[in-house]
Amino acid sequence: MAEPTNFTEYLTEKMIRDLYCSKRFTAGQVHNELIFLSVLNTLLATSAFLGNTLILVALRKESSLHPPFKLMYCNLAITDLCVGIIAEPLCVVYFMSVVNETWDVCLNTHLILAITGTILCAESLVTVAAISVDRLLALSLGLRYRQVITLKRAYTAVIVMWVLSIVCTSSYFWNPPIYQYSAYITIALCLLISVFSYTKIIFTLRHNQIHTMLQGHNCGQGPPSQSLIIAKYRKAVYSGLWVQGTLFICYLPHGIAVALTPQRGMDISLYLVRQFTLTLVYFNSSLNPFLYCWKAREVRRAVRRTLRQLFCSSS
């Protein structure tokens, strides 16, 4: 089957049926794999829902984190929660519609999944980039950080990120080239911003220039207080780096598979690769809560306290 010559052709019902809801997949060649992915995505949806719900409850009760910084992590947890309750269940419905050959369900589910999945993935990328910028501003602004980065401005930034993600993804319907180019630009900008921010932070930390952030904290305090502040900041930075690196590892294989589609055509092997790598993308939403608990002591402490209260109340 010939591949579409331009991006617009992907929008036609025929192309969606040929690429993603095709009878080529009904001869039993991919049924076992799709059933396995359905079970796996069901488990991942459950873990994403439970893990991110727990993180949201714990973060709400944690007062030691700067509110705008905490809001960014809450936004990322909300995005991951939506993956667990929307994207992954849709993925299961799509897989089973192919197995059961219910092509109308397959077509509609795939379209909804493509839109919602793109919105959530874009929001995750933008939020992770925003966290890296927040950490860089905390270093460069010093005492002015809490005055400049207020909770109101953080809420505004989060709303703008969601609106941009939804608007750019909605262009899928009315201007496919804009959708395509905005996706490329968003990915490139998020990666560049994150790489620049963390490179600048690590370079500054390694050259012992962090005293610009600590000038006001040292008034009437000894070296142990300064060391404590440096250690706390380092942990926040490395926590963000782990989240950033894990997201990149989970997203990269699917990006490569998508890029290969126009060159190779959607044969059965590439179709399966795309579905497995898509599941890896969604696995990131189940993995993030464990990263928060592992790398952020404040979050780990809040989660333990929340679980203790939950078990005590249930008993």
Side-chain angles (χ1 to χ4, degrees):
M1 184 194 71
E3 280 295 300
T5 55
N6 59 66
F7 188 77
T8 308
E9 292 184 42
Y10 279 107
L11 295 176
T12 67
E13 179 178 330
K14 182 180 182 302
M15 291 307 302
I16 294 176
R17 288 188 184 276
D18 288 343
L19 289 173
Y20 305 107
C21 299
S22 173
K23 292 184 178 180
R24 293 179 297 152
F25 308 136
T26 62
Q29 300 180 73
V30 299
H31 284 191
N32 291 337
E33 290 84 352
L34 293 183
I35 292 172
F36 169 76
L37 285 174
S38 297
V39 174
L40 181 58
N41 274 273
T42 300
L43 296 175
L44 292 179
T46 303
S47 64
F49 171 74
L50 294 176
N52 287 287
T53 300
L54 179 61
I55 291 296
L56 286 170
V57 173
L59 285 176
R60 185 177 63 86
K61 298 178 179 180
E62 180 57 44
S63 58
S64 63
L65 294 172
H66 185 42
F69 179 62
K70 184 170 72 172
L71 176 63
M72 290 298 172
Y73 270 103
C74 284
N75 187 55
L76 188 57
I78 290 172
T79 305
D80 291 333
L81 179 63
C82 290
V83 169
I85 63 178
I86 300 175
E88 287 179 306
L90 283 172
C91 215
V92 172
V93 173
Y94 164 68
F95 291 148
M96 296 311 298
S97 68
V98 175
V99 172
N100 296 320
E101 302 182 30
T102 51
W103 301 120
D104 289 337
V105 174
C106 179
L107 178 67
N108 294 325
T109 303
H110 181 272
L111 182 59
I112 297 172
L113 177 62
I115 298 301
T116 56
T118 302
I119 291 173
L120 295 174
C121 289
E123 185 63 21
S124 294
L125 283 168
V126 175
T127 303
V128 169
I131 290 173
S132 70
V133 172
D134 177 87
R135 293 299 82 199
L136 179 59
L137 290 175
L139 176 63
S140 58
L141 293 176
L143 282 180
R144 294 179 57 238
Y145 168 71
R146 291 180 178 271
Q147 299 172 353
V148 175
I149 309 301
T150 61
L151 186 58
K152 182 179 179 180
R153 288 175 176 172
Y155 270 114
T156 302
V158 168
I159 292 172
V160 169
M161 289 188 295
W162 275 103
V163 170
L164 287 177
S165 297
I166 293 172
V167 169
C168 291
T169 304
S170 299
S171 63
Y172 183 96
F173 295 102
W174 49 271
N175 198 320
I178 289 180
Y179 170 83
Q180 186 180 30
Y181 296 137
S182 63
Y184 293 152
I185 292 171
T186 299
I187 294 171
L189 275 178
C190 288
L191 288 176
L192 286 173
I193 289 171
S194 298
V195 169
F196 171 80
S197 298
Y198 285 120
T199 300
K200 177 69 174 176
I201 290 169
I202 293 173
F203 180 82
T204 303
L205 290 175
R206 285 184 176 179
H207 287 76
N208 296 320
Q209 295 174 353
I210 200 170
H211 65 274
T212 58
M213 183 184 70
L214 303 171
Q215 289 174 355
H217 293 285
N218 291 331
C219 297
Q221 299 177 356
S225 178
Q226 176 175 334
S227 300
L228 183 62
I229 296 168
I230 295 174
K232 185 176 180 180
Y233 178 78
R234 284 180 183 272
K235 288 179 179 179
V237 168
Y238 291 134
S239 174
L241 267 174
W242 271 94
V243 172
Q244 175 79 55
T246 304
L247 182 141
F248 179 76
I249 292 171
C250 290
Y251 279 47
L252 181 61
H254 188 66
I256 294 173
V258 171
L260 287 175
T261 303
Q263 284 74 33
R264 285 192 50 182
M266 186 68 84
D267 55 20
I268 291 177
S269 61
L270 184 57
Y271 174 82
L272 285 176
V273 168
R274 287 188 61 157
Q275 307 318 313
F276 274 94
T277 56
L278 180 62
T279 301
L280 179 61
V281 168
Y282 294 151
F283 173 61
N284 180 250
S285 297
S286 298
L287 197 57
N288 278 339
F290 294 99
L291 290 177
Y292 304 152
C293 293
W294 178 33
K295 287 297 178 180
R297 186 178 62 180
E298 296 87 354
V299 177
R300 183 168 61 250
R301 184 175 59 235
V303 167
R304 285 176 179 173
R305 186 166 57 247
T306 301
L307 288 174
R308 193 179 303 116
Q309 292 172 353
L310 179 64
F311 288 133
C312 289
S313 61
S314 63
S315 60

